[in-house]
Amino acid sequence: MKIDSVVLREIRMPLVRPFETSFGRTTDRRILLVEVQSEGITGWGECTAGEHASFSEESTDTAWLMLANELIPALLRAEISSPGSCPRAMNHVRGNRMAKAALENAVWDVESQQAEMPLAELLGGIRDKIVCGVSIGIQPSVGQLLDVVETELAAGYQRIKLKCKPDCDVELFEAVRNRWPNILLSCDANASYRLKDQEHLRSFDAFRLLMIEQPLWHDDFYFHSLLQRQLETSICLDESIRNRRDALAAIEMESCRVINIKLGRVGGFSEAIRVHNVTAERGVPVWCGGMLETGIGRAHNIALSSLENFILPGDVSASSRYWTEDIIEPAVEVSSKGEIKIPQVPGRGFEVKLDRVEKLTVRSERFHARNLAHGHPTTQLKARA
Ligand code: OSB
Ligand code: MG
């Protein structure tokens, strides 16, 4: 595979409605897109970093710097032969996984087109459709929350996830459970509780939740393992899981019984597949998380979700829940049974609407392979073994 050039751009898109979690409220997204051009083919990648470094250490701005100054030049110099060789080409940079994922995923996107194979199949997927849930942000009132849940259930979604935080939890679960005693219901605390809240978290057991996502610190395994012993409800880890090794540690420490896989959080398709495989070996079910993506990230999430161990409904839902008009065609649609069909055509299966992307672009930069010969690095970095 010969990469000729890479385009990095930032687009701005308002969400159709604000999304509020324990760490903040998002109304407008600033999203980085990466285009990798190789022998007449364009692959796209989306960076899932948020506007602020509150979900992880990365933000839209840090990801731009890392991509422009380090990662894109490194990839262009590396002369990679396949998408699987991207992680090594970038491993002299520590962390910055969302920035790395944007670039690596664009290379997988190229490869699926060059191989004339559906991206899902290239990744090793086995499904022809995926089951979908929704993540519902914190609402101004319980009444409004019930209205949103009603709308999503009527649309066919198979699992409802409620964002929660201290002082905004059991009253929500109680209201939703009373009205819908048998739905698949879960919650996501985004690391907002502490071990001293153990007794309170035990009271969640009464609501028969499918799982409690990331109740404690974003970087913790040990205290989650202590908490898991105290709960009947399964803990699902999101923020804590950065790679295969973390997944294995969490499983061996019994910090969780479910894992949420996010492409950006683990650094791209290669590592996501490795996390998937180790969870499958250990019999721990996974599902695909979401980061308020445009259709590009969404298409990649759909392809990833076709792997065998993506057993539980994910947070990958319809474009229209986020955007008045998505940047792909067709938009992602969910059937009345709460399912998304996996495209059976070569590539990602959703065309990028370049006109719309151009209109939304606020800055862009093109990097050519041939212009990199005379870089000016101050330190010669070595790839880590
Ligand atoms: O923790 O899963 C999360 C959105 C932004 C940051 C973190 C999370 C989320 C979501 C939204 O839950 C999932 C989605 O609908 O894309
Ligand atoms: Mg989460």
Side-chain angles (χ1 to χ4, degrees):
M1 175 185 291
K2 188 183 166 302
I3 298 178
D4 304 310
S5 65
V6 176
V7 179
L8 174 62
R9 63 170 90 222
E10 177 181 338
I11 61 168
R12 301 207 177 180
M13 276 172 94
L15 286 168
V16 293
R17 48 180 173 261
F19 188 80
E20 186 171 337
T21 67
S22 62
F23 57 74
R25 182 180 162 92
T26 308
T27 54
D28 296 273
R29 298 260 14 243
R30 292 177 54 210
I31 297 172
L32 303 186
L33 299 178
V34 171
E35 270 168 84
V36 168
Q37 286 158 351
S38 165
E39 299 168 295
I41 282 178
T42 301
W44 289 82
E46 174 169 344
C47 179
T48 62
E51 294 67 37
H52 302 283
S54 33
F55 173 82
S56 77
E57 294 87 341
E58 293 181 83
S59 71
T60 310
D61 292 313
T62 70
W64 179 285
L65 282 178
M66 292 311 297
L67 280 159
N69 295 357
E70 306 272 355
L71 301 172
I72 295 172
L75 193 77
L76 288 171
R77 282 196 194 94
E79 298 182 5
I80 54 147
S81 56
S82 69
S85 48
C86 289
R88 189 170 157 74
M90 299 190 278
N91 78 356
H92 58 290
V93 172
R94 194 163 276 176
N96 294 280
R97 293 179 302 280
M98 290 171 174
K100 289 175 179 172
L103 195 49
E104 187 195 318
N105 294 352
V107 176
W108 283 90
D109 197 288
V110 167
E111 174 76 7
S112 65
Q113 296 172 63
Q114 284 180 345
E116 297 184 35
M117 202 189 260
L119 178 59
E121 190 182 326
L122 180 66
L123 299 172
I126 52 131
R127 298 173 193 281
D128 57 6
K129 56 182 189 293
I130 63 169
V131 284
C132 310
V134 285
S135 173
I136 300 178
I138 292 170
Q139 303 295 313
S141 71
V142 175
Q144 275 158 286
L145 174 64
L146 291 175
D147 290 345
V148 178
V149 174
E150 182 164 35
T151 304
E152 303 297 11
L153 290 172
Y157 287 104
Q158 298 195 22
R159 186 227 58 204
I160 299 291
K161 163 172 137 184
L162 307 178
K163 290 290 185 179
C164 67
K165 61 180 180 183
D167 298 320
C168 183
D169 47 29
V170 287
E171 68 277 19
L172 312 182
F173 311 151
E174 193 155 33
V176 173
R177 258 297 173 243
N178 279 342
R179 181 121 162 237
W180 295 281
N182 296 317
I183 58 168
L184 291 182
L185 182 65
S186 68
C187 70
D188 186 355
N190 286 114
S192 57
Y193 297 90
R194 297 294 171 256
L195 209 58
K196 65 173 164 46
D197 301 316
Q198 253 190 86
E199 271 313 302
H200 178 62
L201 290 164
R202 271 161 76 118
S203 74
F204 290 17
D205 280 344
F207 305 102
R208 291 171 291 112
L209 303 177
L210 183 60
M211 63 192 119
I212 304 177
E213 192 175 333
Q214 200 74 36
L216 307 176
W217 299 268
H218 72 95
D219 56 357
D220 170 74
F221 301 112
Y222 176 66
F223 294 103
H224 279 96
S225 79
L226 298 186
L227 178 63
Q228 180 67 89
R229 286 187 216 165
Q230 304 294 320
L231 301 179
E232 275 171 35
T233 310
S234 294
I235 291 176
C236 170
L237 289 179
D238 174 356
E239 283 90 329
S240 299
I241 306 294
R242 303 161 299 179
N243 50 42
R244 176 189 185 276
R245 194 166 42 77
D246 282 348
L248 195 52
I251 293 167
E252 297 208 338
M253 292 174 78
E254 300 182 34
S255 309
C256 64
R257 299 187 198 127
V258 178
I259 287 177
N260 156 342
I261 301 184
K262 287 179 177 167
L263 279 169
R265 199 196 63 223
V266 303
F269 279 122
S270 299
E271 195 63 28
I273 293 168
R274 283 163 46 81
V275 174
H276 166 272
N277 292 349
V278 77
T279 58
E281 281 161 27
R282 301 294 176 122
V284 171
V286 301
W287 52 278
C288 185
M291 293 292 286
L292 312 176
E293 289 95 341
T294 74
I296 293 171
R298 217 160 278 283
H300 290 171
N301 287 341
I302 292 167
L304 179 68
S305 305
S306 71
L307 272 66
E308 192 162 13
N309 198 35
F310 282 82
I311 291 167
L312 296 167
D315 277 348
V316 186
S317 56
S319 296
S320 61
R321 295 188 65 250
Y322 308 83
W323 320 113
T324 48
E325 187 190 342
D326 205 336
I327 60 172
I328 49 154
E329 210 160 34
V332 174
E333 285 183 7
V334 172
S335 77
S336 58
K337 289 181 176 159
E339 295 169 343
I340 296 174
K341 277 205 211 81
I342 303 206
Q344 303 296 326
V345 298
R348 84 187 81 80
F350 298 86
E351 288 301 319
V352 175
K353 298 203 264 188
L354 198 53
D355 287 1
R356 177 138 178 81
V357 170
E358 291 288 1
K359 275 199 198 112
L360 297 167
T361 298
V362 295
R363 54 173 167 163
S364 66
E365 199 170 330
R366 182 181 289 273
F367 302 78
H368 289 281
R370 63 176 186 283
N371 292 347
L372 285 166
H374 307 290
H376 40 90
T378 49
T379 313
Q380 288 292 338
L381 294 168
K382 288 197 177 120
R384 291 195 194 103

XYZ file of all heavy atoms in Angstrom, residues 25-104:
607
model
N -21.745 19.074 29.312
C -22.850 19.144 28.364
C -22.285 19.552 27.006
O -21.558 20.536 26.901
C -23.787 20.220 28.910
C -25.047 20.468 28.158
C -25.786 21.582 28.927
N -26.786 22.203 28.095
C -28.062 21.792 28.064
N -28.465 20.803 28.836
N -28.915 22.411 27.264
N -22.594 18.778 25.970
C -22.095 19.067 24.626
C -23.255 19.528 23.748
O -24.271 18.837 23.672
C -21.473 17.800 23.997
O -20.516 17.254 24.916
C -20.784 18.106 22.680
N -23.081 20.676 23.097
C -24.136 21.168 22.192
C -23.644 21.177 20.744
O -24.416 20.948 19.828
C -24.579 22.596 22.569
O -23.413 23.426 22.615
C -25.268 22.624 23.921
N -22.358 21.485 20.568
C -21.772 21.548 19.232
C -20.517 20.706 19.219
O -19.737 20.747 20.158
C -21.373 22.990 18.888
C -22.582 23.885 18.813
O -23.172 23.959 17.730
O -22.935 24.487 19.847
N -20.323 19.969 18.136
C -19.137 19.139 18.088
C -18.063 19.760 17.196
O -18.367 20.398 16.178
C -19.485 17.729 17.570
C -20.457 16.957 18.448
C -19.820 15.922 19.372
N -18.397 16.002 19.536
C -17.527 15.059 19.169
N -17.946 13.951 18.596
N -16.242 15.208 19.398
N -16.822 19.615 17.615
C -15.651 19.968 16.803
C -14.948 18.648 16.548
O -14.355 18.071 17.462
C -14.709 20.897 17.576
C -15.279 22.283 17.844
C -14.279 23.094 18.681
N -12.968 23.120 18.037
C -11.815 23.211 18.696
N -11.784 23.314 20.015
N -10.663 23.213 18.034
N -15.027 18.170 15.312
C -14.574 16.821 14.990
C -13.454 16.853 13.955
O -13.547 17.576 12.952
C -15.772 15.988 14.459
C -16.828 15.847 15.561
C -15.320 14.624 13.964
C -18.129 15.212 15.101
N -12.404 16.072 14.199
C -11.332 15.952 13.210
C -11.606 14.754 12.310
O -11.958 13.680 12.782
C -9.976 15.740 13.889
C -9.545 16.791 14.899
C -8.107 16.510 15.357
C -9.658 18.198 14.320
N -11.425 14.982 11.010
C -11.519 13.913 10.024
C -10.166 13.773 9.340
O -9.474 14.768 9.126
C -12.577 14.228 8.964
C -14.015 14.409 9.452
C -14.923 14.776 8.279
C -14.525 13.155 10.154
N -9.832 12.546 9.020
C -8.577 12.260 8.330
C -8.913 11.569 7.016
O -9.726 10.660 6.989
C -7.698 11.321 9.197
C -6.501 10.826 8.412
C -7.252 12.017 10.467
N -8.308 12.048 5.946
C -8.455 11.387 4.640
C -7.098 10.841 4.256
O -6.131 11.606 4.159
C -8.774 12.429 3.563
C -10.206 12.737 3.316
C -10.281 13.984 2.432
O -10.173 13.864 1.200
O -10.428 15.090 2.994
N -7.025 9.539 4.004
C -5.771 8.937 3.548
C -5.924 8.611 2.077
O -6.856 7.894 1.691
C -5.438 7.665 4.369
C -4.303 6.881 3.721
C -5.057 8.048 5.799
N -5.034 9.167 1.256
C -5.133 8.953 -0.178
C -4.044 8.017 -0.655
O -2.859 8.220 -0.376
C -5.096 10.306 -0.899
C -6.434 10.969 -0.685
C -6.477 12.457 -0.848
O -5.440 13.111 -0.975
N -7.672 13.000 -0.818
N -4.489 6.960 -1.331
C -3.563 5.927 -1.769
C -3.976 5.427 -3.139
O -5.056 4.849 -3.285
C -3.601 4.763 -0.752
O -2.990 3.618 -1.293
N -3.144 5.675 -4.117
C -3.358 5.180 -5.475
C -4.790 5.385 -5.969
O -5.460 4.460 -6.427
C -2.954 3.698 -5.538
C -1.474 3.553 -5.203
C -1.028 2.115 -4.945
O -1.487 1.520 -3.963
O -0.217 1.614 -5.741
N -5.255 6.628 -5.816
C -6.578 6.981 -6.345
C -7.746 6.648 -5.426
O -8.890 6.952 -5.738
N -7.454 6.029 -4.290
C -8.525 5.671 -3.350
C -8.414 6.535 -2.095
O -7.308 6.829 -1.632
C -8.458 4.162 -3.012
C -9.058 3.381 -4.193
C -9.188 3.834 -1.716
C -9.015 1.900 -4.029
N -9.573 6.954 -1.564
C -9.579 7.754 -0.338
C -10.222 6.976 0.795
O -11.353 6.515 0.667
C -10.362 9.068 -0.550
O -9.740 9.800 -1.610
C -10.351 9.919 0.714
N -9.497 6.838 1.890
C -10.058 6.228 3.100
C -10.277 7.325 4.129
O -9.496 8.281 4.202
N -11.332 7.192 4.904
C -11.669 8.217 5.894
C -11.545 7.675 7.321
O -11.836 6.499 7.573
C -13.109 8.698 5.686
C -13.292 9.535 4.452
C -13.466 9.066 3.182
C -13.313 10.967 4.379
N -13.598 10.132 2.312
C -13.513 11.306 3.016
C -13.189 12.001 5.325
C -13.592 12.629 2.582
C -13.268 13.312 4.880
C -13.456 13.623 3.525
N -11.135 8.559 8.206
C -11.094 8.213 9.632
C -11.634 9.386 10.430
O -11.518 10.539 10.011
N -12.221 9.075 11.581
C -12.766 10.129 12.443
C -12.092 10.054 13.802
O -11.923 8.968 14.366
C -14.290 9.928 12.597
C -14.922 10.890 13.598
C -16.457 10.877 13.549
O -17.033 10.373 12.560
O -17.066 11.374 14.502
N -11.732 11.205 14.316
C -11.134 11.250 15.653
C -12.250 11.466 16.673
O -13.021 12.418 16.551
C -10.109 12.376 15.740
S -9.372 12.483 17.373
N -12.324 10.588 17.684
C -13.440 10.670 18.636
C -13.113 11.504 19.875
O -13.890 11.511 20.836
C -13.897 9.267 19.089
O -12.804 8.628 19.759
C -14.328 8.416 17.905
N -11.992 12.225 19.846
C -11.676 13.099 20.986
C -12.786 14.142 21.141
O -13.335 14.623 20.161
C -10.338 13.793 20.761
N -13.076 14.478 22.399
C -14.090 15.487 22.676
C -13.514 16.890 22.602
O -12.300 17.080 22.444
N -14.373 17.867 22.724
C -13.944 19.268 22.667
C -13.067 19.610 23.872
O -12.239 20.518 23.813
C -15.166 20.198 22.629
C -16.011 20.069 21.358
C -16.720 18.716 21.223
O -17.178 18.173 22.256
O -16.773 18.194 20.097
N -13.292 18.917 24.970
C -12.497 19.123 26.184
C -11.943 17.769 26.631
O -12.539 16.741 26.355
C -13.362 19.723 27.298
C -13.990 21.014 26.888
N -13.293 22.196 26.841
C -15.234 21.292 26.433
C -14.087 23.157 26.395
N -15.276 22.641 26.138
N -10.810 17.813 27.342
C -10.171 16.558 27.759
C -10.854 16.029 29.020
O -10.209 15.843 30.049
C -8.685 16.794 27.979
N -12.145 15.759 28.942
C -12.868 15.328 30.139
C -13.221 13.841 30.130
O -13.279 13.224 31.188
C -14.122 16.169 30.355
O -14.678 16.561 29.135
N -13.453 13.259 28.972
C -13.659 11.800 28.920
C -12.302 11.113 29.000
O -12.115 10.146 29.724
C -14.393 11.403 27.633
C -14.489 9.911 27.452
C -15.471 9.177 28.101
C -13.575 9.241 26.646
C -15.551 7.791 27.949
C -13.647 7.860 26.489
C -14.634 7.137 27.142
N -11.343 11.625 28.226
C -9.970 11.115 28.274
C -9.043 12.326 28.270
O -9.506 13.466 28.251
C -9.686 10.233 27.059
O -9.467 11.033 25.917
N -7.739 12.056 28.234
C -6.774 13.158 28.259
C -6.726 13.911 26.938
O -6.099 14.961 26.845
C -5.372 12.637 28.579
C -5.201 12.064 29.972
C -5.570 10.591 30.087
O -6.287 10.060 29.202
O -5.153 9.967 31.078
N -7.334 13.345 25.893
C -7.252 13.986 24.578
C -8.411 14.950 24.339
O -9.504 14.776 24.869
C -7.274 12.923 23.472
C -6.057 12.047 23.464
C -6.115 11.012 22.339
O -5.765 11.354 21.194
O -6.532 9.871 22.624
N -8.148 15.942 23.509
C -9.205 16.852 23.058
C -9.025 17.052 21.558
O -8.008 16.640 20.980
C -9.094 18.205 23.769
O -7.958 18.906 23.294
N -9.987 17.714 20.938
C -9.895 18.004 19.509
C -8.561 18.704 19.202
O -7.889 18.373 18.219
C -11.075 18.920 19.091
O -12.289 18.340 19.574
C -11.133 19.097 17.590
N -8.184 19.656 20.059
C -6.967 20.430 19.791
C -5.681 19.625 20.002
O -4.742 19.747 19.214
C -6.946 21.690 20.668
C -8.035 22.666 20.244
O -8.173 22.917 19.035
O -8.760 23.154 21.129
N -5.642 18.794 21.045
C -4.410 18.002 21.241
C -4.278 16.989 20.106
O -3.177 16.715 19.630
C -4.380 17.259 22.599
O -5.347 16.195 22.607
C -4.629 18.192 23.770
N -5.409 16.441 19.671
C -5.358 15.440 18.594
C -4.868 16.085 17.299
O -4.101 15.478 16.548
C -6.737 14.807 18.401
N -5.278 17.316 17.046
C -4.796 18.013 15.843
C -3.270 18.129 15.889
O -2.562 17.808 14.924
C -5.437 19.407 15.723
C -4.938 20.148 14.521
C -3.715 20.748 14.369
C -5.620 20.305 13.269
N -3.595 21.281 13.109
C -4.756 21.025 12.411
C -6.878 19.920 12.798
C -5.118 21.357 11.100
C -7.239 20.261 11.499
C -6.350 20.973 10.662
N -2.758 18.590 17.027
C -1.300 18.762 17.155
C -0.564 17.445 16.970
O 0.454 17.383 16.270
C -0.947 19.341 18.531
C -1.173 20.823 18.711
C -0.816 21.227 20.139
C -0.322 21.615 17.715
N -1.055 16.397 17.608
C -0.363 15.107 17.523
C -0.414 14.549 16.104
O 0.580 14.011 15.599
C -0.962 14.095 18.506
C -0.719 14.421 19.957
S 1.001 14.814 20.360
C 1.790 13.267 19.978
N -1.559 14.680 15.460
C -1.670 14.182 14.084
C -0.758 14.981 13.157
O 0.012 14.415 12.372
C -3.136 14.256 13.615
C -4.012 13.099 14.131
C -5.499 13.466 14.098
C -3.761 11.829 13.299
N -0.825 16.301 13.259
C -0.081 17.152 12.324
C 1.427 17.089 12.563
O 2.213 17.031 11.616
C -0.573 18.604 12.447
N 1.834 17.095 13.838
C 3.270 17.193 14.131
C 3.982 15.852 14.199
O 5.182 15.782 13.970
C 3.492 17.909 15.473
C 3.044 19.355 15.431
O 2.615 19.840 14.381
N 3.134 20.038 16.549
N 3.247 14.812 14.585
C 3.909 13.531 14.841
C 3.379 12.372 14.001
O 4.136 11.670 13.352
C 3.714 13.135 16.324
C 4.137 14.189 17.330
C 5.611 14.079 17.705
O 6.283 13.127 17.260
O 6.080 14.963 18.436
N 2.071 12.144 14.093
C 1.539 10.870 13.604
C 1.458 10.795 12.084
O 1.867 9.795 11.484
C 0.164 10.589 14.242
C 0.190 10.534 15.778
C -1.236 10.457 16.340
C 1.005 9.329 16.248
N 0.944 11.836 11.455
C 0.844 11.793 9.986
C 2.239 11.739 9.358
O 2.499 10.882 8.505
C -0.020 12.964 9.447
C -1.480 12.798 9.926
C 0.045 13.038 7.920
C -2.389 13.984 9.630
N 3.185 12.604 9.788
C 4.543 12.491 9.229
C 5.157 11.095 9.462
O 5.786 10.539 8.553
C 5.337 13.570 9.984
C 4.297 14.583 10.378
C 3.049 13.789 10.666
N 4.940 10.526 10.634
C 5.504 9.194 10.922
C 4.910 8.141 9.995
O 5.622 7.296 9.459
C 5.245 8.812 12.384
N 3.615 8.217 9.783
C 2.972 7.212 8.921
C 3.446 7.367 7.478
O 3.699 6.375 6.789
C 1.442 7.345 8.995
C 0.714 6.159 8.382
C 0.745 4.964 9.339
C -0.723 6.502 8.038
N 3.577 8.612 7.036
C 4.020 8.837 5.651
C 5.457 8.355 5.442
O 5.808 7.872 4.379
C 3.881 10.321 5.279
C 2.437 10.800 5.085
C 2.395 12.315 4.928
C 1.780 10.131 3.873
N 6.278 8.474 6.468
C 7.674 8.012 6.352
C 7.800 6.506 6.446
O 8.760 5.921 5.952
C 8.521 8.611 7.489
C 8.912 10.048 7.253
C 10.060 10.454 8.186
N 10.194 11.893 8.170
C 9.622 12.714 9.044
N 8.907 12.231 10.058
N 9.762 14.010 8.938
N 6.847 5.877 7.119
C 7.009 4.455 7.465
C 6.830 3.509 6.288
O 7.262 2.366 6.346
C 6.033 4.087 8.580
N 6.177 3.959 5.227
C 5.899 3.083 4.079
C 5.265 1.777 4.531
O 5.822 0.690 4.356
C 7.170 2.844 3.262
C 7.712 4.140 2.695
C 8.955 3.960 1.824
O 9.347 2.798 1.589
O 9.503 4.980 1.380
N 4.119 1.873 5.124
C 3.436 0.696 5.670
C 2.895 -0.203 4.562
O 2.554 0.258 3.478
C 2.280 1.101 6.602
C 1.344 2.060 5.866
C 2.779 1.730 7.880
C -0.051 1.905 6.290
N 2.805 -1.484 4.870
C 2.345 -2.445 3.873
C 0.890 -2.837 4.070
O 0.242 -3.349 3.164
C 3.221 -3.694 3.937
O 3.184 -4.190 5.267
N 0.358 -2.620 5.264
C -1.035 -3.003 5.545
C -1.512 -2.218 6.764
O -0.695 -1.693 7.522
C -1.098 -4.495 5.847
O -0.461 -4.744 7.077
N -2.845 -2.173 6.982
C -3.343 -1.425 8.148
C -2.794 -1.964 9.464
O -2.558 -1.199 10.403
C -4.868 -1.608 8.087
C -5.197 -2.331 6.849
C -3.943 -2.714 6.146
N -2.550 -3.276 9.504
C -2.042 -3.887 10.735
C -0.658 -3.391 11.126
O -0.232 -3.564 12.271
N 0.062 -2.763 10.176
C 1.386 -2.256 10.541
C 1.350 -0.796 11.010
O 2.383 -0.228 11.353
C 2.381 -2.457 9.390
O 1.841 -2.026 8.177
N 0.158 -0.189 11.046
C 0.052 1.204 11.530
C 0.456 1.384 12.997
O 1.195 2.324 13.308
C -1.365 1.735 11.340
S -1.779 2.036 9.624
N -0.026 0.524 13.917
C 0.324 0.772 15.322
C 1.831 0.873 15.535
O 2.313 1.756 16.238
C -0.275 -0.440 16.059
C -1.440 -0.851 15.212
C -0.982 -0.605 13.793
N 2.606 -0.006 14.875
C 4.051 0.035 15.062
C 4.657 1.314 14.489
O 5.585 1.884 15.058
C 4.699 -1.199 14.423
C 6.165 -1.301 14.775
C 6.818 -2.608 14.372
N 8.256 -2.394 14.244
C 9.077 -2.242 15.275
N 8.631 -2.279 16.509
N 10.369 -2.030 15.073
N 4.097 1.765 13.388
C 4.616 2.998 12.773
C 4.381 4.220 13.661
O 5.000 5.261 13.464
C 3.952 3.197 11.407
N 3.482 4.087 14.634
C 3.148 5.243 15.484
C 3.530 5.015 16.941
O 3.224 5.845 17.793
C 1.635 5.535 15.381
C 1.182 5.882 13.967
S -0.520 6.493 13.891
C -1.444 4.967 13.903
N 4.187 3.877 17.244
C 4.346 3.543 18.661
C 5.482 4.269 19.371
O 5.686 4.078 20.565
C 4.387 2.020 18.889
C 5.728 1.405 18.536
O 6.636 2.090 18.044
N 5.863 0.115 18.776
N 6.179 5.152 18.644
C 7.146 6.023 19.339
C 6.417 7.162 20.042
O 7.018 7.885 20.835
C 8.153 6.594 18.339
C 7.501 7.371 17.249
N 6.731 6.775 16.264
C 7.455 8.698 17.006
C 6.260 7.713 15.456
N 6.683 8.884 15.889
N 5.132 7.322 19.732
C 4.301 8.306 20.436
C 3.499 7.560 21.493
O 2.819 6.584 21.184
C 3.331 9.014 19.457
C 2.327 9.893 20.211
C 4.113 9.855 18.455
N 3.618 8.018 22.711
C 2.884 7.343 23.787
C 1.456 7.892 23.844
O 1.221 9.074 23.617
C 3.598 7.615 25.104
C 3.140 6.730 26.217
C 4.120 6.733 27.371
N 5.221 5.789 27.185
C 6.234 5.658 28.018
N 6.332 6.430 29.073
N 7.171 4.770 27.786
N 0.494 7.000 24.162
C -0.898 7.455 24.344
C -1.478 8.059 23.074
O -1.214 7.592 21.973
N -2.281 9.097 23.243
C -2.898 9.787 22.096
C -3.632 8.807 21.177
O -3.526 8.873 19.962
C -1.834 10.592 21.334
C -1.285 11.724 22.177
O -1.906 12.774 22.299
N -0.139 11.496 22.811
N -4.352 7.904 21.822
C -4.975 6.809 21.070
C -6.088 7.253 20.131
O -6.290 6.641 19.082
C -5.481 5.730 22.054
C -4.337 5.007 22.784
C -4.858 3.971 23.745
N -5.748 4.566 24.725
C -5.340 5.220 25.807
N -4.058 5.332 26.071
N -6.221 5.735 26.632
N -6.821 8.287 20.503
C -7.900 8.735 19.607
C -7.328 9.348 18.333
O -7.883 9.166 17.239
C -8.813 9.719 20.331
C -9.635 9.035 21.414
S -10.518 10.223 22.421
C -11.499 9.108 23.432
N -6.225 10.073 18.483
C -5.556 10.628 17.301
C -5.030 9.489 16.425
O -5.214 9.489 15.197
C -4.417 11.554 17.734
N -4.395 8.497 17.041
C -3.857 7.355 16.284
C -4.972 6.593 15.575
O -4.829 6.181 14.413
C -3.113 6.395 17.222
C -1.793 6.951 17.738
C -1.184 5.994 18.763
C 0.162 6.529 19.263
N 0.694 5.725 20.392
N -6.099 6.405 16.284
C -7.212 5.627 15.716
C -7.755 6.295 14.452
O -8.088 5.609 13.475
C -8.321 5.468 16.746
N -7.839 7.620 14.469
C -8.387 8.323 13.292
C -7.569 7.960 12.055
O -8.113 7.682 10.979
C -8.359 9.829 13.530
N -6.254 7.937 12.234
C -5.356 7.669 11.113
C -5.368 6.180 10.735
O -5.519 5.819 9.559
C -3.951 8.128 11.529
C -2.884 8.290 10.462
C -3.374 9.109 9.284
C -1.640 8.955 11.085
N -5.233 5.330 11.720
C -5.228 3.887 11.422
C -6.542 3.448 10.781
O -6.547 2.675 9.814
C -4.984 3.062 12.694
C -4.817 1.592 12.333
C -4.930 0.621 13.497
O -4.386 0.911 14.571
O -5.552 -0.436 13.292
